[in-house]
Amino acid sequence: MRFALASTIRFPPPLTGVVVTPARTLLFFAIVSLVPPGSVKSDPPKAAADSPAKARLAAVDKFLDAEAKDLVALYQHLHANPELSLYEEKTAARMADELTKLGFDVTAKVGGHGVVGVLKNGDGPTVLVRADMDGLPITEKTGVAYASKVRVRDRFGNDTGVMHACGHDVHMTCWVGTARALVALKGRWSGTLVFVAQPAEEIGVGARAMIDAGLFKKFPKPDYGLALHADARIPVGTIAYTEGLALANVDTVDVLVKGVGGHGAAPHATVDPIVLASRIVLDLQTIVSREVNPTDPAVVTVGSFHGGTKHNIIPNDVKLQLTVRTTKDTVRDHVLKAIDRICKSAADGARAPAPVVTVNLDEFTPATLNDVKLTRRVVGAFREILGDENVRERPPTMGGEDFGRFGREGVPIFMYFLGTVSPDEVAAAEKPGAPKLPGVHTDGYAPLPDASVRHGVRTLASAVLELVGHK
């Protein structure tokens, strides 16, 4: 052992005038042999806090300490004043004003009420950051002090409440906060920012309208595209992500089922469209269960069934509204053709006029595919700044998001999900028999304002800085 130890030690050259005697050599080995193994250590590695990602996060946190109160006020304003899809005029004006004050070159009315802001800060990558602006036709019942009391007539003439029930108010506030942070930290990054405030996400037309209006031709083409989405089921302070397929194709289908109306007491003299439509609803369920490969996810849901006016009148027609979700274009094509075939075959069997089946291509939303390389890069930064326990992998879902259209234009995209709920509430909801938390698109969804906004800005700004920040 002593020999092995001695053989690894390199002695410095003898000092001038010093005679190395055998006795001194033996004394040296005696001292070395008394040193406990492992007690001599090299300098420790630099603390993780010295990493570029954590240093940038510290700068973002310092910014947030001064800005958080104002950002929460902005969130509450947006939450209290939602606007429906295609009607986001005041919201868009506020987003444009926020970017203008920060020095962005702002263009409004891009594809409807879309807003594009460009900020150049030297050479480097171009990063697109997107937020959606529209609310939903839902009457809010959260009970928060800043709850929406807005009521309007929608594009179909229906009177409805309006609510930010999908977190778009969170998205916009984090978007503004991130823009402010990046302007404040201009010395830490170089490149070009393209901030996009998008209308009409909830009806699937906003992204396409902005693309058709020249989003990627009139403005710098992004090297990367980023977005976040509020999540109503995971605790604030955490994020969730998916590599590759994250969200599904979404199609909207309208079916007008025709019959021959008459008196409810004489059904034999009619062709009852309510019975026919009911049969169609049931037959449609066999598409997923018997026609689609079980390994290919698909959903056919009839969300609306409208027919008749009075107890004893058999109507002339019934209107069905369907949502169709698929993850592959080949499966999508098969399912849509099957819907048309089943509706027409059922009508033929009932001696009814042929139904009208309309696939609304204007509202088609393609699947969202997160770029794997970009996802891994940004998630790596998230793990470094948040810790592995706060970064969760998320399976693909059958929800839809038209952010996926940006990816189909050749832009590598990454959308992640932001926890917005109290950890205590999440833990309570996970107990057996406990009521579930209000989800997105429900009248009870109320994100935690301060913590959600702070966490959203911390992560979104860190994601951008990972791509354009100085190393």
Side-chain angles (χ1 to χ4, degrees), residues 111-170:
H113 292 300
V115 176
V116 180
V118 178
L119 181 67
K120 297 182 179 180
N121 186 35
D123 295 331
T126 297
V127 179
L128 178 148
V129 183
R130 175 268 205 174
D132 35 13
M133 298 185 289
D134 48 334
L136 285 161
I138 294 175
T139 300
E140 182 168 353
K141 296 181 182 178
T142 61
V144 298
Y146 48 89
S148 168
K149 297 179 175 59
V150 175
R151 294 199 69 84
V152 299
R153 289 201 174 275
D154 65 15
R155 58 195 172 122
F156 305 110
N158 303 311
D159 179 72
T160 181
V162 187
M163 176 186 175
H164 273 303
C166 196
H168 294 190
D169 44 358
V170 174

Side-chain angles (χ1 to χ4, degrees), residues 16-38:
T16 303
V18 176
V19 178
V20 180
T21 65
R24 287 181 177 174
T25 302
L26 291 172
L27 177 61
F28 173 81
F29 281 108
I31 293 171
V32 169
S33 67
L34 293 174
V35 177

Side-chain angles (χ1 to χ4, degrees), residues 286-304:
T286 65
I287 298 173
V288 174
S289 66
R290 289 297 178 268
E291 296 191 32
V292 174
N293 189 319
T295 62
D296 290 330
V299 174
V300 177
T301 293
V302 180
S304 174

Side-chain angles (χ1 to χ4, degrees), residues 38-278:
S39 63
V40 179
K41 299 180 180 178
S42 60
D43 292 336
K46 289 185 178 181
D50 294 335
S51 71
K54 287 203 171 184
R56 292 191 292 258
L57 179 64
V60 173
D61 283 340
K62 184 176 180 181
F63 159 83
L64 279 169
D65 288 340
E67 290 283 332
K69 184 176 180 180
D70 185 66
L71 288 172
V72 170
L74 172 62
Y75 163 77
Q76 293 177 343
H77 168 78
L78 294 170
H79 186 89
N81 296 278
E83 295 175 296
L84 290 176
S85 305
L86 304 178
Y87 294 90
E88 310 94 335
E89 182 177 2
K90 293 180 181 178
T91 305
R94 179 63 184 266
M95 296 299 100
D97 182 60
E98 291 286 347
L99 293 185
T100 299
K101 289 188 294 186
L102 292 171
F104 281 74
D105 182 8
V106 177
T107 304
K109 298 189 182 302
V110 180
H113 292 300
V115 176
V116 180
V118 178
L119 181 67
K120 297 182 179 180
N121 186 35
D123 295 331
T126 297
V127 179
L128 178 148
V129 183
R130 175 268 205 174
D132 35 13
M133 298 185 289
D134 48 334
L136 285 161
I138 294 175
T139 300
E140 182 168 353
K141 296 181 182 178
T142 61
V144 298
Y146 48 89
S148 168
K149 297 179 175 59
V150 175
R151 294 199 69 84
V152 299
R153 289 201 174 275
D154 65 15
R155 58 195 172 122
F156 305 110
N158 303 311
D159 179 72
T160 181
V162 187
M163 176 186 175
H164 273 303
C166 196
H168 294 190
D169 44 358
V170 174
H171 305 172
M172 288 185 284
T173 306
C174 294
W175 183 85
V176 170
T178 296
R180 292 181 184 179
L182 292 170
V183 169
L185 303 176
K186 284 179 72 173
R188 290 180 174 269
W189 61 275
S190 58
T192 299
L193 305 179
V194 180
F195 270 56
V196 174
Q198 182 203 302
E201 184 277 330
E202 293 294 356
I203 61 172
V205 304
R208 191 186 66 177
M210 294 193 75
I211 292 169
D212 290 346
L215 176 61
F216 297 129
K217 295 178 181 177
K218 298 178 180 178
F219 306 96
K221 182 72 176 284
D223 297 299
Y224 309 103
L226 299 173
L228 59 75
H229 199 295
D231 194 310
R233 298 293 168 82
I234 63 174
V236 70
T238 65
I239 68 99
Y241 73 95
T242 309
E243 287 186 8
L245 176 67
L247 296 161
N249 294 314
V250 180
D251 280 285
T252 299
V253 182
D254 292 287
V255 181
L256 178 64
V257 181
K258 296 182 179 181
V260 177
H263 200 289
H268 61 286
T270 72
V271 177
D272 192 337
I274 289 181
V275 173
L276 174 55
S278 299

Side-chain angles (χ1 to χ4, degrees), residues 187-454:
R188 290 180 174 269
W189 61 275
S190 58
T192 299
L193 305 179
V194 180
F195 270 56
V196 174
Q198 182 203 302
E201 184 277 330
E202 293 294 356
I203 61 172
V205 304
R208 191 186 66 177
M210 294 193 75
I211 292 169
D212 290 346
L215 176 61
F216 297 129
K217 295 178 181 177
K218 298 178 180 178
F219 306 96
K221 182 72 176 284
D223 297 299
Y224 309 103
L226 299 173
L228 59 75
H229 199 295
D231 194 310
R233 298 293 168 82
I234 63 174
V236 70
T238 65
I239 68 99
Y241 73 95
T242 309
E243 287 186 8
L245 176 67
L247 296 161
N249 294 314
V250 180
D251 280 285
T252 299
V253 182
D254 292 287
V255 181
L256 178 64
V257 181
K258 296 182 179 181
V260 177
H263 200 289
H268 61 286
T270 72
V271 177
D272 192 337
I274 289 181
V275 173
L276 174 55
S278 299
R279 181 188 305 163
I280 288 172
V281 170
L282 294 177
D283 288 349
L284 291 175
Q285 307 313 306
T286 65
I287 298 173
V288 174
S289 66
R290 289 297 178 268
E291 296 191 32
V292 174
N293 189 319
T295 62
D296 290 330
V299 174
V300 177
T301 293
V302 180
S304 174
F305 187 126
H306 287 178
T309 58
K310 197 174 185 299
H311 306 75
N312 61 349
I313 299 174
I314 294 174
N316 285 317
D317 55 55
V318 168
K319 296 176 182 177
L320 304 179
Q321 294 180 320
L322 287 64
T323 187
V324 178
R325 310 296 171 105
T326 54
T327 61
K328 294 180 179 179
D329 289 347
T330 53
V331 176
R332 173 180 178 247
D333 182 66
H334 177 90
V335 170
L336 293 178
K337 288 178 179 177
I339 290 170
D340 186 76
R341 167 173 45 83
I342 286 172
C343 291
K344 290 178 178 176
S345 296
D348 186 58
R351 301 174 294 110
V356 179
V357 180
T358 305
V359 179
N360 191 338
L361 295 178
D362 288 341
E363 296 189 9
F364 166 62
T365 299
T368 298
L369 300 170
N370 280 334
D371 180 80
V372 173
K373 185 177 179 181
L374 175 60
T375 299
R376 290 178 179 176
R377 181 176 175 182
V378 176
V379 168
F382 285 166
R383 291 191 185 281
E384 187 174 352
I385 63 176
L386 302 177
D388 288 342
E389 68 279 7
N390 293 316
V391 180
R392 307 178 177 189
E393 193 163 2
R394 181 181 192 266
T397 72
M398 303 306 283
E401 241 286 356
D402 67 353
F403 183 59
R405 282 197 180 274
F406 294 171
R408 291 206 173 193
E409 294 296 312
V411 179
I413 61 171
F414 174 54
M415 170 177 277
Y416 66 96
F417 289 80
L418 181 78
T420 61
V421 186
S422 160
D424 291 341
E425 291 183 4
V426 173
E430 290 175 347
K431 293 179 179 178
K436 292 185 177 182
L437 293 168
V440 294
H441 287 224
T442 69
D443 58 14
Y445 175 46
L448 288 176
D450 182 82
S452 298
V453 169
R454 182 179 288 270

